[in-house]
Structures are given as C-alpha cells and as structure tokens.
Coordinates of all heavy atoms in Angstrom, one line a residue:
M1 N 6.0 -2.4 -11.7 CA 5.1 -2.3 -10.6 C 3.7 -2.5 -11.0 O 3.2 -1.9 -11.9 CB 5.3 -0.8 -10.0 CG 5.2 -0.8 -8.5 SD 5.2 0.9 -7.9 CE 6.7 0.9 -7.0
T2 N 2.9 -3.3 -10.3 CA 1.6 -3.6 -10.6 C 0.7 -2.4 -10.1 O 1.2 -1.6 -9.3 CB 1.0 -4.9 -9.9 OG1 1.1 -4.7 -8.4 CG2 1.9 -6.1 -10.2
D3 N -0.5 -2.3 -10.5 CA -1.4 -1.3 -10.1 C -1.6 -1.4 -8.5 O -1.6 -0.3 -7.9 CB -2.8 -1.5 -10.7 CG -2.9 -1.0 -12.1 OD1 -1.9 -0.4 -12.6 OD2 -3.8 -1.3 -12.8
R4 N -1.6 -2.6 -8.0 CA -1.8 -2.8 -6.6 C -0.6 -2.2 -5.8 O -0.7 -1.5 -4.8 CB -2.0 -4.2 -6.2 CG -2.6 -4.4 -4.8 CD -3.0 -5.9 -4.6 NE -3.7 -6.0 -3.4 CZ -3.3 -5.7 -2.1 NH1 -2.0 -5.3 -2.0 NH2 -4.0 -5.8 -1.1
Q5 N 0.6 -2.5 -6.4 CA 1.8 -1.9 -5.7 C 1.8 -0.4 -5.8 O 2.2 0.3 -4.8 CB 3.1 -2.5 -6.4 CG 3.3 -4.0 -6.1 CD 4.4 -4.5 -6.9 OE1 4.5 -4.3 -8.1 NE2 5.3 -5.3 -6.3
T6 N 1.4 0.1 -6.9 CA 1.4 1.6 -7.1 C 0.4 2.2 -6.1 O 0.7 3.2 -5.5 CB 0.9 1.9 -8.5 OG1 1.8 1.3 -9.4 CG2 0.9 3.4 -8.8
I7 N -0.8 1.6 -6.0 CA -1.8 2.1 -5.0 C -1.2 2.0 -3.6 O -1.4 2.9 -2.8 CB -3.1 1.3 -5.2 CG1 -3.8 1.7 -6.5 CG2 -4.1 1.6 -4.0 CD1 -5.0 0.9 -6.9
F8 N -0.6 0.8 -3.2 CA 0.0 0.7 -1.9 C 1.0 1.8 -1.6 O 1.0 2.5 -0.6 CB 0.7 -0.6 -1.7 CG 1.3 -0.9 -0.3 CD1 0.5 -1.4 0.7 CD2 2.6 -0.4 0.0 CE1 1.0 -1.6 1.9 CE2 3.1 -0.6 1.2 CZ 2.3 -1.2 2.2
A9 N 1.8 2.1 -2.6 CA 2.8 3.2 -2.5 C 2.1 4.6 -2.3 O 2.5 5.4 -1.4 CB 3.7 3.3 -3.7
Q10 N 1.0 4.8 -3.0 CA 0.3 6.1 -2.8 C -0.4 6.2 -1.5 O -0.4 7.2 -0.8 CB -0.8 6.2 -3.9 CG -0.3 6.7 -5.2 CD -1.5 6.9 -6.2 OE1 -1.7 6.0 -7.0 NE2 -2.2 8.0 -6.2
V11 N -0.9 5.0 -1.0 CA -1.5 5.0 0.3 C -0.5 5.2 1.4 O -0.7 6.0 2.3 CB -2.2 3.6 0.6 CG1 -2.6 3.4 2.0 CG2 -3.5 3.5 -0.3
A12 N 0.7 4.6 1.2 CA 1.8 4.8 2.2 C 2.2 6.3 2.2 O 2.4 6.8 3.3 CB 3.0 4.0 1.8
E13 N 2.2 7.0 1.1 CA 2.5 8.4 1.1 C 1.4 9.2 1.8 O 1.7 10.2 2.5 CB 2.5 9.0 -0.4 CG 3.8 8.7 -1.1 CD 3.7 9.2 -2.5 OE1 3.1 10.3 -2.8 OE2 4.3 8.6 -3.4
Q14 N 0.2 8.8 1.7 CA -0.9 9.5 2.4 C -0.9 9.2 3.9 O -1.3 10.1 4.7 CB -2.3 9.1 1.9 CG -2.6 9.6 0.5 CD -2.8 11.1 0.4 OE1 -3.1 11.7 1.5 NE2 -2.7 11.7 -0.7
I15 N -0.4 8.1 4.3 CA -0.3 7.7 5.7 C 0.8 8.5 6.4 O 0.7 8.8 7.6 CB -0.1 6.2 5.9 CG1 -1.4 5.4 5.5 CG2 0.3 5.8 7.3 CD1 -1.2 3.9 5.5
A16 N 1.9 8.7 5.7 CA 3.1 9.3 6.3 C 2.8 10.5 7.2 O 3.3 10.5 8.3 CB 4.1 9.7 5.2
P17 N 2.0 11.5 6.8 CA 1.9 12.7 7.7 C 1.1 12.3 9.0 O 1.2 13.0 10.0 CB 1.0 13.7 6.9 CG 1.0 13.2 5.5 CD 1.4 11.8 5.5
F18 N 0.3 11.2 8.9 CA -0.5 10.8 10.1 C 0.3 9.7 11.0 O -0.2 9.3 12.0 CB -1.8 10.2 9.6 CG -2.7 11.1 8.9 CD1 -2.7 11.1 7.5 CD2 -3.5 12.0 9.5 CE1 -3.5 11.9 6.7 CE2 -4.3 12.9 8.8 CZ -4.3 12.9 7.4
N19 N 1.4 9.3 10.5 CA 2.2 8.2 11.1 C 3.1 8.8 12.1 O 4.4 8.8 11.9 CB 2.9 7.3 10.0 CG 3.5 6.1 10.6 OD1 3.4 5.8 11.8 ND2 4.1 5.3 9.7
K20 N 2.6 9.2 13.2 CA 3.4 9.9 14.2 C 4.5 9.1 14.9 O 5.5 9.6 15.3 CB 2.5 10.5 15.3 CG 1.4 11.4 14.8 CD 1.9 12.7 14.2 CE 0.8 13.6 13.8 NZ 1.1 14.4 12.6
K21 N 4.2 7.8 15.0 CA 5.2 6.9 15.6 C 6.2 6.3 14.7 O 7.0 5.5 15.1 CB 4.4 5.8 16.4 CG 3.6 6.4 17.5 CD 3.0 5.3 18.4 CE 2.4 5.9 19.6 NZ 2.6 5.1 20.8
G22 N 6.0 6.6 13.4 CA 7.0 6.0 12.4 C 6.9 4.5 12.3 O 7.9 3.8 12.1
V23 N 5.6 4.0 12.3 CA 5.4 2.6 12.2 C 5.7 2.1 10.8 O 5.4 2.8 9.8 CB 3.9 2.2 12.5 CG1 3.6 0.8 12.3 CG2 3.6 2.6 14.0
A24 N 6.5 1.0 10.7 CA 6.8 0.4 9.4 C 5.5 -0.2 8.8 O 4.8 -0.9 9.5 CB 7.8 -0.7 9.5
L25 N 5.1 0.3 7.5 CA 3.9 -0.2 7.0 C 4.0 -1.5 6.1 O 5.0 -1.7 5.5 CB 3.4 0.9 6.0 CG 3.1 2.3 6.6 CD1 2.6 3.2 5.6 CD2 2.1 2.2 7.7
N26 N 3.0 -2.3 6.3 CA 2.9 -3.5 5.4 C 1.4 -3.8 5.2 O 0.6 -3.0 5.8 CB 3.6 -4.7 6.0 CG 3.2 -5.1 7.4 OD1 1.9 -5.3 7.6 ND2 4.0 -5.2 8.3
E27 N 1.1 -4.8 4.5 CA -0.3 -5.1 4.2 C -1.2 -5.3 5.5 O -2.3 -5.0 5.5 CB -0.4 -6.4 3.4 CG 0.2 -6.3 2.0 CD -0.7 -5.7 1.0 OE1 -2.0 -5.9 1.1 OE2 -0.2 -5.1 0.1
G28 N -0.5 -5.8 6.6 CA -1.2 -6.2 7.8 C -1.3 -5.1 8.8 O -1.9 -5.2 9.9
T29 N -0.7 -3.9 8.5 CA -0.6 -2.8 9.5 C -2.1 -2.3 9.7 O -2.8 -2.1 8.8 CB 0.2 -1.6 9.0 OG1 1.5 -2.1 8.7 CG2 0.2 -0.5 9.9
T30 N -2.5 -2.3 11.0 CA -3.8 -1.8 11.4 C -3.8 -0.3 11.7 O -2.9 0.2 12.3 CB -4.4 -2.6 12.5 OG1 -3.6 -2.4 13.7 CG2 -4.5 -4.1 12.2
F31 N -4.9 0.3 11.4 CA -5.0 1.7 11.6 C -5.3 2.0 13.1 O -4.6 2.9 13.7 CB -6.2 2.3 10.8 CG -5.9 2.2 9.3 CD1 -6.6 1.3 8.5 CD2 -5.0 3.0 8.7 CE1 -6.4 1.2 7.2 CE2 -4.7 2.9 7.3 CZ -5.4 2.0 6.6
A32 N -6.2 1.2 13.8 CA -6.5 1.5 15.2 C -5.4 0.9 16.1 O -4.9 1.6 17.0 CB -7.8 0.8 15.5
G33 N -4.9 -0.3 15.8 CA -3.9 -0.9 16.7 C -2.5 -0.4 16.5 O -1.9 0.1 17.4
D34 N -2.0 -0.7 15.3 CA -0.6 -0.3 15.0 C -0.3 1.2 14.9 O 0.6 1.7 15.5 CB -0.1 -1.0 13.7 CG -0.1 -2.5 13.8 OD1 0.1 -3.1 14.9 OD2 -0.5 -3.2 12.8
L35 N -1.2 1.9 14.2 CA -1.0 3.3 14.0 C -1.6 4.1 15.2 O -1.3 5.3 15.3 CB -1.5 3.8 12.7 CG -0.8 3.2 11.5 CD1 -1.5 3.5 10.2 CD2 0.6 3.7 11.4
E36 N -2.5 3.5 15.9 CA -3.2 4.1 17.0 C -3.9 5.4 16.6 O -3.9 6.4 17.3 CB -2.1 4.4 18.2 CG -1.5 3.2 18.7 CD -0.5 3.5 19.8 OE1 -0.4 4.6 20.3 OE2 0.3 2.6 20.2
W37 N -4.7 5.3 15.5 CA -5.5 6.5 15.1 C -6.8 6.5 15.8 O -7.4 5.5 16.1 CB -5.7 6.3 13.6 CG -4.5 6.6 12.8 CD1 -3.2 6.9 13.2 CD2 -4.4 6.5 11.3 NE1 -2.4 7.0 12.1 CE2 -3.1 6.8 10.9 CE3 -5.4 6.3 10.3 CZ2 -2.7 6.9 9.6 CZ3 -5.0 6.3 9.0 CH2 -3.6 6.6 8.7
D38 N -7.2 7.8 16.1 CA -8.5 8.0 16.6 C -9.5 8.3 15.5 O -9.1 8.3 14.3 CB -8.5 9.1 17.7 CG -8.1 10.4 17.1 OD1 -8.0 10.6 15.9 OD2 -7.7 11.3 17.9
S39 N -10.8 8.4 15.8 CA -11.8 8.6 14.7 C -11.5 9.8 13.9 O -11.8 9.9 12.7 CB -13.2 8.5 15.3 OG -13.3 9.5 16.3
L40 N -11.1 10.9 14.5 CA -10.8 12.1 13.8 C -9.7 12.0 12.8 O -9.8 12.4 11.6 CB -10.5 13.3 14.8 CG -10.3 14.7 14.2 CD1 -11.6 15.1 13.4 CD2 -10.0 15.7 15.2
T41 N -8.6 11.3 13.2 CA -7.5 11.0 12.3 C -8.0 10.2 11.1 O -7.7 10.4 9.9 CB -6.4 10.3 13.0 OG1 -6.0 11.1 14.1 CG2 -5.2 10.1 12.1
V42 N -8.8 9.2 11.4 CA -9.4 8.3 10.3 C -10.2 9.2 9.3 O -10.0 9.0 8.1 CB -10.2 7.2 10.9 CG1 -11.0 6.4 9.8 CG2 -9.3 6.2 11.7
M43 N -11.0 10.1 9.9 CA -11.8 10.9 9.0 C -10.9 11.8 8.1 O -11.2 11.9 6.9 CB -12.8 11.8 9.8 CG -13.8 11.1 10.6 SD -15.2 10.5 9.7 CE -16.0 12.0 9.4
D44 N -9.9 12.4 8.7 CA -9.0 13.2 7.9 C -8.3 12.4 6.8 O -8.1 12.8 5.7 CB -7.9 13.9 8.8 CG -8.6 15.0 9.6 OD1 -9.7 15.4 9.3 OD2 -7.9 15.4 10.6
F45 N -7.9 11.2 7.2 CA -7.1 10.3 6.3 C -8.0 9.9 5.2 O -7.6 9.9 4.0 CB -6.5 9.1 7.1 CG -5.9 8.1 6.2 CD1 -4.7 8.4 5.5 CD2 -6.5 6.9 6.0 CE1 -4.1 7.4 4.7 CE2 -5.9 5.9 5.2 CZ -4.7 6.2 4.5
V46 N -9.3 9.4 5.5 CA -10.2 9.0 4.5 C -10.5 10.1 3.5 O -10.5 9.9 2.2 CB -11.5 8.5 5.1 CG1 -12.6 8.3 4.0 CG2 -11.3 7.2 5.8
A47 N -10.6 11.3 3.9 CA -10.8 12.4 3.0 C -9.6 12.6 2.1 O -9.8 12.9 0.9 CB -11.1 13.7 3.8
A48 N -8.5 12.5 2.6 CA -7.2 12.6 1.8 C -7.2 11.5 0.7 O -6.9 11.8 -0.4 CB -6.0 12.6 2.7
I49 N -7.5 10.3 1.1 CA -7.5 9.2 0.2 C -8.6 9.3 -0.9 O -8.3 9.1 -2.1 CB -7.8 7.8 1.0 CG1 -6.5 7.4 1.8 CG2 -8.1 6.7 0.0 CD1 -5.3 7.0 1.0
E50 N -9.8 9.8 -0.5 CA -10.8 10.0 -1.5 C -10.4 11.1 -2.5 O -10.7 10.9 -3.7 CB -12.1 10.4 -0.7 CG -12.8 9.3 0.0 CD -14.0 9.7 0.8 OE1 -14.1 10.9 1.2 OE2 -14.9 8.8 1.0
D51 N -9.8 12.1 -2.0 CA -9.3 13.2 -3.0 C -8.2 12.7 -3.8 O -8.3 12.9 -5.1 CB -8.8 14.4 -2.1 CG -9.9 15.2 -1.5 OD1 -11.1 15.0 -1.8 OD2 -9.6 16.0 -0.6
D52 N -7.3 12.0 -3.3 CA -6.1 11.5 -4.0 C -6.5 10.5 -5.2 O -6.0 10.5 -6.3 CB -5.1 10.8 -3.1 CG -3.8 10.6 -3.8 OD1 -3.4 11.4 -4.6 OD2 -3.1 9.6 -3.4
F53 N -7.5 9.6 -4.9 CA -7.9 8.6 -5.8 C -9.2 8.9 -6.5 O -9.6 8.1 -7.4 CB -8.0 7.2 -5.1 CG -6.7 6.6 -4.7 CD1 -6.2 6.8 -3.4 CD2 -5.9 5.9 -5.6 CE1 -5.0 6.3 -3.0 CE2 -4.7 5.4 -5.2 CZ -4.2 5.6 -3.9
D54 N -9.8 10.0 -6.2 CA -11.1 10.4 -6.8 C -12.1 9.3 -6.6 O -12.7 8.8 -7.6 CB -10.9 10.8 -8.2 CG -12.1 11.5 -8.8 OD1 -12.8 12.2 -8.0 OD2 -12.4 11.5 -10.0
I55 N -12.3 8.8 -5.4 CA -13.3 7.8 -5.1 C -14.1 8.2 -3.9 O -13.8 9.2 -3.2 CB -12.6 6.4 -4.7 CG1 -11.6 6.6 -3.6 CG2 -11.9 5.8 -6.0 CD1 -11.0 5.3 -3.0
L56 N -15.1 7.4 -3.6 CA -15.9 7.6 -2.4 C -16.0 6.4 -1.6 O -16.4 5.3 -2.1 CB -17.4 8.1 -2.7 CG -18.3 8.3 -1.6 CD1 -17.9 9.4 -0.7 CD2 -19.7 8.5 -2.1
I57 N -15.5 6.5 -0.3 CA -15.5 5.3 0.6 C -16.6 5.5 1.5 O -16.6 6.4 2.3 CB -14.1 5.2 1.3 CG1 -13.0 5.1 0.4 CG2 -14.2 4.0 2.3 CD1 -11.6 5.1 1.0
T58 N -17.6 4.6 1.4 CA -18.8 4.7 2.3 C -18.5 4.4 3.7 O -17.5 3.8 4.0 CB -19.9 3.8 1.8 OG1 -19.5 2.4 2.0 CG2 -20.3 4.0 0.3
M59 N -19.4 4.8 4.6 CA -19.2 4.5 6.0 C -19.2 3.0 6.3 O -18.4 2.6 7.1 CB -20.3 5.2 6.9 CG -20.3 6.7 6.8 SD -18.7 7.4 7.5 CE -19.1 7.3 9.2
N60 N -20.0 2.3 5.5 CA -20.0 0.8 5.7 C -18.7 0.2 5.3 O -18.2 -0.7 5.9 CB -21.2 0.2 4.8 CG -22.5 0.4 5.4 OD1 -22.6 0.8 6.6 ND2 -23.5 0.2 4.6
M61 N -18.1 0.7 4.2 CA -16.8 0.2 3.8 C -15.7 0.6 4.8 O -14.9 -0.3 5.2 CB -16.4 0.8 2.4 CG -17.1 0.3 1.3 SD -16.5 1.0 -0.3 CE -15.0 0.1 -0.5
Q62 N -15.8 1.8 5.4 CA -14.8 2.2 6.4 C -14.8 1.3 7.6 O -13.8 1.0 8.1 CB -15.1 3.7 6.8 CG -14.7 4.7 5.8 CD -15.0 6.1 6.4 OE1 -14.8 6.4 7.5 NE2 -15.6 7.0 5.5
A63 N -16.1 0.9 8.0 CA -16.2 0.0 9.1 C -15.5 -1.3 8.9 O -15.1 -1.9 9.9 CB -17.7 -0.1 9.5
E64 N -15.4 -1.8 7.7 CA -14.8 -3.1 7.4 C -13.4 -3.0 7.2 O -12.7 -4.0 7.1 CB -15.5 -3.7 6.1 CG -17.0 -4.0 6.4 CD -17.7 -4.4 5.1 OE1 -17.0 -4.6 4.1 OE2 -18.9 -4.6 5.1
I65 N -12.8 -1.9 6.9 CA -11.4 -1.7 6.6 C -10.6 -1.5 7.9 O -10.7 -0.5 8.5 CB -11.1 -0.5 5.6 CG1 -11.9 -0.8 4.3 CG2 -9.6 -0.3 5.4 CD1 -11.8 0.4 3.3
E66 N -9.7 -2.5 8.2 CA -9.0 -2.4 9.4 C -7.4 -2.4 9.2 O -6.7 -1.9 10.0 CB -9.3 -3.6 10.3 CG -10.7 -3.6 10.8 CD -11.0 -4.9 11.7 OE1 -10.1 -5.7 11.9 OE2 -12.2 -5.0 12.1
T67 N -7.0 -2.8 8.0 CA -5.6 -2.9 7.7 C -5.3 -2.1 6.4 O -6.2 -1.8 5.6 CB -5.1 -4.3 7.5 OG1 -5.7 -4.8 6.3 CG2 -5.5 -5.2 8.7
V68 N -4.0 -1.8 6.2 CA -3.6 -1.1 5.0 C -3.9 -2.0 3.8 O -4.4 -1.4 2.8 CB -2.1 -0.8 5.1 CG1 -1.5 -0.3 3.7 CG2 -1.7 0.1 6.2
G69 N -3.7 -3.2 3.8 CA -4.0 -4.2 2.7 C -5.5 -4.1 2.4 O -5.8 -4.1 1.2
Q70 N -6.3 -4.1 3.3 CA -7.8 -4.1 3.1 C -8.1 -2.7 2.4 O -9.0 -2.7 1.5 CB -8.6 -4.2 4.4 CG -8.6 -5.6 4.9 CD -9.2 -5.7 6.3 OE1 -9.2 -4.8 7.1 NE2 -9.7 -6.9 6.6
L71 N -7.5 -1.6 2.8 CA -7.7 -0.3 2.2 C -7.3 -0.4 0.7 O -8.0 0.0 -0.2 CB -7.0 0.8 2.9 CG -7.1 2.1 2.2 CD1 -8.6 2.6 2.1 CD2 -6.3 3.2 3.0
V72 N -6.1 -1.0 0.4 CA -5.6 -1.1 -0.9 C -6.6 -1.9 -1.8 O -6.9 -1.5 -2.9 CB -4.2 -1.7 -1.0 CG1 -3.8 -2.0 -2.4 CG2 -3.2 -0.7 -0.3
D73 N -7.1 -3.0 -1.2 CA -8.1 -3.8 -1.9 C -9.3 -3.0 -2.3 O -9.8 -3.1 -3.4 CB -8.4 -5.1 -1.1 CG -7.3 -6.1 -1.0 OD1 -6.4 -6.1 -1.9 OD2 -7.3 -6.9 -0.1
A74 N -9.8 -2.3 -1.3 CA -11.0 -1.5 -1.5 C -10.8 -0.4 -2.6 O -11.7 -0.2 -3.4 CB -11.4 -0.8 -0.2
I75 N -9.6 0.2 -2.6 CA -9.3 1.2 -3.7 C -9.3 0.6 -5.0 O -9.8 1.1 -6.0 CB -8.0 2.0 -3.3 CG1 -8.2 2.8 -2.1 CG2 -7.6 2.8 -4.5 CD1 -6.9 3.3 -1.5
V76 N -8.6 -0.6 -5.1 CA -8.5 -1.3 -6.4 C -9.9 -1.6 -6.9 O -10.2 -1.4 -8.0 CB -7.7 -2.7 -6.2 CG1 -7.9 -3.6 -7.4 CG2 -6.3 -2.4 -6.0
K77 N -10.8 -2.1 -6.0 CA -12.2 -2.4 -6.4 C -13.0 -1.2 -6.8 O -13.7 -1.2 -7.8 CB -12.8 -3.1 -5.1 CG -14.2 -3.6 -5.4 CD -14.7 -4.3 -4.2 CE -16.2 -4.6 -4.2 NZ -16.7 -5.1 -3.0
L78 N -12.8 -0.1 -6.1 CA -13.5 1.1 -6.4 C -13.0 1.8 -7.7 O -13.8 2.4 -8.4 CB -13.4 2.1 -5.3 CG -14.2 1.8 -4.0 CD1 -13.8 2.7 -2.9 CD2 -15.7 2.0 -4.3
K79 N -11.7 1.6 -8.0 CA -11.1 2.2 -9.2 C -11.5 1.3 -10.4 O -11.4 1.8 -11.5 CB -9.6 2.3 -9.1 CG -9.1 3.3 -8.1 CD -9.4 4.7 -8.4 CE -8.5 5.2 -9.5 NZ -8.9 6.6 -9.8
G80 N -11.8 0.0 -10.1 CA -12.1 -1.0 -11.1 C -12.5 -0.6 -12.4 O -12.5 -0.9 -13.4

C-alpha cells in the first residue's frame, strides 16, 4: 500500500461517522454534494483530520478542497 492509499484509508475511516447516507467513497466523492455536509459537519471533520494526521488545514486550503481525493492530496503535501 502506498502512502497515498494509506492516507485515503485513514480519511475514509474519519469520514465513516459523518457518512449518514452510506455513500460509497472514491477520489471524486464531494463533501458538499455527495455527502451533503453542512459547514458545522465540515468543521468537526476537519478538526478530526487535523488531530489524526497532526497537521493544520488553513481556511484557504479548506475552501479549495471539494473532493476526498483533493483532501488526500492536501494531506500528502502537508505531511511532505
């Protein structure tokens, strides 16, 4: 398993408690559209991701991240 695959798996684990509709996750899954998250859910999820990976995702980065794949890319870059 590559680092990216490992990170995707960890992200999927973090998404699970917030995935009320049981949406199947892939790189293109969107947080607002597919998962139908509101801003409060996003804030809770971002906090969980930051704690899990020991990173800080800025508000500017959050605004650019729309899909699971983009989040994984951002984590890879921040962990770099």
Side-chain angles (χ1 to χ4, degrees):
M1 215 186 246
T2 66
D3 283 349
R4 195 171 192 295
Q5 288 172 314
T6 303
I7 290 171
F8 182 91
Q10 277 183 264
V11 168
E13 280 181 37
Q14 289 291 344
I15 290 173
F18 299 99
N19 189 356
K20 304 294 185 212
K21 294 189 169 213
V23 174
L25 300 178
N26 61 51
E27 295 276 332
T29 303
T30 61
F31 298 106
D34 297 326
L35 295 171
E36 298 179 12
W37 288 1
D38 60 18
S39 57
L40 184 59
T41 302
V42 170
M43 296 282 285
D44 289 344
F45 174 70
V46 168
I49 287 292
E50 288 176 334
D51 288 347
D52 193 33
F53 289 98
D54 194 26
I55 58 173
L56 178 64
I57 301 173
T58 66
M59 294 300 279
N60 287 345
M61 286 182 77
Q62 286 180 41
E64 295 174 7
I65 297 171
E66 296 177 0
T67 67
V68 173
Q70 288 172 330
L71 176 60
V72 171
D73 290 340
I75 293 168
V76 168
K77 188 174 163 187
L78 288 168
K79 295 293 285 177

